[in-house]
Amino acid sequence: MTHAAAPRTPSHNPHPDAAHLSEKWFRRRHETLNATERAILDAFHTRTHIARAPGTATAPKSFGERMADKVAEFGGSWTFIILFGLFLVAWALLNIALAMRAFDPYPFIFLNLLLSMLAAIQAPIIMMSQNRQAKVDRENAEHDYAVNLKAELEILDLHEKLDEMRSQQITRLLSFQTEQMEILTKLLERKEPAAQSG
């Protein structure tokens, strides 16, 4: 199944019914609608899909964003924790075993410096990834709002059409009933003179 992209901002020349649809569904003038609402109204009018596949990025990620995501993904995994824990234990045991010839004797000042440098580099990279993820989450929330709003408009429109069909059906039934009553009245009127003459 093909999923259409997110709703695009409609052009400055909206369709002729835009003003009518804005008043009807949003109770506001078309000029007062925001870009998302205009896009939804345009998609509703043209009967186009706005849903997209889950996880579909709205914009391609840059190299830096991809690297930040990879670092954050690896830095927040059990693989990193286990490997880094093993590295720390090996560093401490090796320096304790070397005793007087240790390159970083207890209390492992050089290791503390390396850890501080790693934390200073890793923290902003993880924050970059979190900021990008927060932006993606906001875009997904806006897309969900757009899909929900369009679905609501479609349901309201469907209800309106059903009400109109029901009203037309009732009108036809009443008209049919009136015609039948007229026919029955005419038949009764014909029978009465026949009964009187007989």
Side-chain angles (χ1 to χ4, degrees):
M1 180 178 174
T2 307
H3 295 273
R8 290 191 216 104
T9 305
S11 62
H12 293 294
N13 298 322
H15 49 81
D17 294 334
H20 169 69
L21 291 174
S22 300
E23 291 286 345
K24 180 178 178 181
W25 299 119
F26 294 104
R27 308 277 188 242
R28 298 201 317 258
R29 291 197 342 254
H30 189 264
E31 300 79 34
T32 63
L33 301 179
N34 62 38
T36 302
E37 291 169 337
R38 288 184 188 189
I40 293 164
L41 203 59
D42 192 49
F44 171 76
H45 180 261
T46 56
R47 297 287 188 235
T48 53
H49 296 286
I50 61 172
R52 65 171 186 249
T56 305
T58 54
K61 292 190 284 188
S62 67
F63 175 75
E65 288 173 336
R66 288 196 305 274
M67 284 297 294
D69 285 348
K70 291 291 183 188
V71 169
E73 184 181 347
F74 180 68
S77 67
W78 279 107
T79 304
F80 173 77
I81 292 170
I82 292 167
L83 290 176
F84 200 64
L86 291 173
F87 168 77
L88 293 176
V89 169
W91 183 286
L93 291 176
L94 181 63
N95 281 287
I96 290 169
L98 290 174
M100 297 302 291
R101 291 176 295 139
F103 56 89
D104 186 21
Y106 182 84
F108 315 119
I109 295 171
F110 183 57
L111 178 62
N112 283 325
L113 174 65
L114 291 178
L115 293 176
S116 299
M117 290 170 64
L118 177 65
I121 293 169
Q122 193 179 24
I125 291 174
I126 291 171
M127 286 177 65
M128 283 169 53
S129 179
Q130 288 176 338
N131 288 340
R132 196 195 66 73
Q133 188 58 49
K135 182 183 175 186
V136 169
D137 290 343
R138 280 194 304 273
E139 289 175 358
N140 287 337
E142 287 175 11
H143 179 71
D144 289 345
Y145 165 73
V147 171
N148 290 338
L149 184 56
K150 184 172 183 288
E152 188 178 348
L153 291 181
E154 295 284 0
I155 291 167
L156 288 171
D157 188 49
L158 186 61
H159 276 294
E160 191 176 80
K161 287 176 180 173
L162 286 172
D163 289 342
E164 187 179 340
M165 284 172 60
R166 191 181 303 124
S167 176
Q168 288 174 356
Q169 191 174 16
I170 290 169
T171 304
R172 281 197 301 269
L173 285 171
L174 287 172
S175 175
F176 182 66
Q177 190 177 15
T178 305
E179 287 175 13
Q180 284 188 330
M181 291 295 290
E182 287 174 0
I183 292 168
L184 285 172
T185 305
K186 287 177 183 176
L187 286 172
L188 285 171
E189 286 172 356
R190 286 179 190 169
K191 276 191 171 184
E192 282 177 9
Q196 288 173 2
S197 62

